[in-house]
């Protein structure tokens, strides 16, 4: 009789291990797939940046510093590789540089009226919306994985099999500053 109880306990523990491990694998894959979705949108944005820079160059030849910062930020994104933390930092740098670029564009009425520039700006706006949605999905997937990896008793399985928490995609400090409005 005792052997049946021991076998039942071992079977329950084995079943729990299997279910927990498979759940962690599923959550990790969802988070990686979510990161891939961000990566696709960021690539689209990165591909669009040279077109925007070239269009602005034609109108704002003396705004070299802003244009150079956008180009450097795009290069940093390209060189960041696949590490999420490095990539997030580089992408936040590019976001800030693009904001500066569009602020410069405000000073050039003929540029703001240029059809190509308007088209590129609309496309970038659309991509930014999709990036934002992808970031939210990724952060939700990372949260679910992080909860599973850190909560007891699943943390026993996650530690034993090398599962780890994923970083959240957070906004850069510059994006958190509340804009000043005055009339």
């Amino acid at each position: 009789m005792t052997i049946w109880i021991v076998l039942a306990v071992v079977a329950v523990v084995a079943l729990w291990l299997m279910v927990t491990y498979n759940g962690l694998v599923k959550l990790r894959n969802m988070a990686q797939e979510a990161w891939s979705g961000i990566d696709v949108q960021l690539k689209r944005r990165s591909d669009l940046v040279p077109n925007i820079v070239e269009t602005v160059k034609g109108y704002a030849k003396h705004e070299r510093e802003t244009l150079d910062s956008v180009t450097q930020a795009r290069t940093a994104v390209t060189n960041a590789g696949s590490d999420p933390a490095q990539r997030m930092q580089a992408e936040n740098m590019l976001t800030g540089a693009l904001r500066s670029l569009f602020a410069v564009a405000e000073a050039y009425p003929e540029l703001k009226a240029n059809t190509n520039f308007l088209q590129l700006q609309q496309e970038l706006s659309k991509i930014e919306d999709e990036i934002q949605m992808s970031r939210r999905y990724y952060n939700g997937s990372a949260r679910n994985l992080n909860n599973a990896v850190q909560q007891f008793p699943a943390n026993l399985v996650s530690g034993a099999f090398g599962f780890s928490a994923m970083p959240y995609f957070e906004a850069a400090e510059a994006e958190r500053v509340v804009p000043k409005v005055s009339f």
Side-chain angles (χ1 to χ4, degrees):
M1 184 64 150
T2 312
I3 195 150
W4 290 110
I5 292 172
V6 171
L7 286 175
V9 169
V10 168
V12 167
V13 169
L15 182 63
W16 173 78
L17 278 171
M18 183 181 69
V19 168
T20 302
Y21 179 83
N22 288 340
L24 289 167
V25 168
K26 177 183 174 187
L27 291 171
R28 181 181 58 196
N29 289 342
M30 286 178 65
Q32 289 172 341
E33 182 261 339
W35 175 254
S36 174
I38 291 175
D39 195 41
V40 167
Q41 298 306 324
L42 295 175
K43 174 78 171 104
R44 285 180 58 208
R45 176 174 73 173
S46 186
D47 290 345
L48 185 62
V49 167
N51 295 330
I52 292 171
V53 169
E54 287 304 314
T55 303
V56 173
K57 271 184 186 177
Y59 285 92
K61 292 186 189 322
H62 63 280
E63 302 291 352
R64 172 63 69 221
E65 183 178 315
T66 301
L67 297 171
D68 287 346
S69 72
V70 171
T71 303
Q72 289 170 355
R74 182 179 180 271
T75 301
V77 166
T78 303
N79 295 336
S82 61
D83 177 47
Q86 286 180 325
R87 188 71 184 272
M88 289 176 204
Q89 183 179 9
E91 290 297 341
N92 284 333
M93 224 173 67
L94 180 58
T95 298
L98 286 172
R99 287 178 185 213
S100 297
L101 179 69
F102 285 114
V104 165
E106 291 294 318
Y108 296 90
E110 62 278 357
L111 173 60
K112 290 190 319 186
N114 179 284
T115 308
N116 290 338
F117 182 74
L118 290 174
Q119 207 172 15
L120 291 169
Q121 194 173 21
Q122 288 171 350
E123 183 67 21
L124 185 62
S125 177
K126 180 180 161 193
I127 291 171
E128 290 296 328
D129 288 343
E130 291 177 18
I131 290 171
Q132 185 257 6
M133 288 187 299
S134 296
R135 285 177 179 172
R136 281 200 320 234
Y137 177 68
Y138 168 78
N139 282 342
S141 296
R143 178 203 58 230
N144 293 343
L145 175 64
N146 295 348
N147 286 342
V149 165
Q150 296 168 356
Q151 291 177 338
F152 182 81
N155 64 346
L156 301 173
V157 175
S158 66
F161 289 101
F163 289 90
S164 60
M166 293 190 80
Y168 291 110
F169 203 126
E170 297 179 0
E173 285 299 318
E175 293 181 48
R176 295 179 189 185
V177 175
V178 177
K180 194 173 193 175
V181 178
S182 61
F183 294 99

